[in-house]
Amino acid sequence: MKPEARTVFIGAQPSVLCGPELAVGDAAPDFELWQYVDQTPCLINRELLLGYQMPVLFCCLHSLDTRVGAIQARKFEQLLSRFDHEVAAFLVSSDLPFTQNRYATKESLSFLSVASDYRASFGRAFGVYLPEWMFLTRSVIVTDAEATIQHIDIVTEFTDEPDYGAAINAVAELL
């Protein structure tokens, strides 16, 4: 029996997510995200997460150049300040790295590090990619120091914000 498609809504239009349906307790899959620091490409992957030996929060959205995306980024930046860098936090979007760097500089991000999924590796691996639109859906994923998923929130209405409290509580429980 084929599992029912996982759907999110962009307005009234349903869109099907691509990739596995991950849950709390699952190991974080292999993936690739990209950063460009001083014009040098830097790869972020599962192996790197394990080297951090700390919880990781992925704040996922399709673009930083949207009203809800900017709100989501600002709220997580503010909420993560209470952990004073005891958690690795990534602002993951489908934007190209130069767009992300412009945003990070403009917003003076201190607790969120931008990471580009312009190749859709992360979105497909974590099951938060919308192939019809070719970008990530709004979601939040928290892993522990062993890269095991401890929280996952996939927002079903594209214009809604994630549950910030649940994500931050998941991080707090890991510290």
Side-chain angles (χ1 to χ4, degrees):
M1 184 169 163
K2 186 176 177 183
E4 189 173 319
R6 296 175 307 120
T7 305
V8 297
F9 293 87
I10 300 175
Q13 183 177 355
S15 294
V16 177
L17 292 168
C18 174
E21 183 172 5
L22 298 177
V24 171
D26 289 344
D30 291 329
F31 65 91
E32 290 183 350
L33 290 170
W34 291 94
Q35 293 179 319
Y36 284 79
V37 180
D38 298 324
Q39 300 183 359
T40 302
C42 301
L43 175 66
I44 301 165
N45 58 19
R46 187 177 192 283
E47 184 179 335
L48 184 70
L49 296 187
L50 290 168
Y52 288 151
Q53 298 182 340
M54 64 173 60
V56 177
L57 180 138
F58 296 102
C59 170
C60 306
L61 44 103
H62 81 284
S63 177
L64 298 165
D65 287 332
T66 63
R67 184 185 65 77
V68 179
I71 290 169
Q72 181 177 338
R74 282 187 208 109
K75 283 189 180 178
F76 270 116
E77 174 71 10
Q78 179 184 26
L79 292 167
L80 288 163
S81 68
R82 80 182 239 205
F83 301 118
D84 193 28
H85 300 285
E86 291 181 59
V87 57
F90 295 97
L91 182 55
V92 180
S93 75
S94 300
D95 295 311
L96 291 172
F98 71 87
T99 301
Q100 292 182 325
N101 287 347
R102 175 185 44 81
Y103 180 86
T105 299
K106 180 181 139 209
E107 294 294 324
S108 301
L109 297 179
S110 297
F111 301 99
L112 280 170
S113 179
V114 292
S116 179
D117 190 34
Y118 71 96
R119 295 180 178 170
S121 168
F122 179 92
R124 290 178 191 276
F126 280 87
V128 294
Y129 183 69
L130 294 166
E132 177 181 356
W133 295 92
M134 296 190 305
F135 54 64
L136 295 169
T137 195
R138 192 171 316 286
S139 53
V140 181
I141 301 161
V142 176
T143 66
D144 61 19
E146 290 79 37
T148 301
I149 296 172
Q150 298 300 318
H151 172 80
I152 189 162
D153 176 19
I154 298 172
V155 180
T156 55
E157 169 49 54
F158 203 72
T159 58
D160 289 346
E161 295 176 54
D163 185 342
Y164 301 102
I168 292 301
N169 287 341
V171 170
E173 288 178 16
L174 296 172
L175 297 175

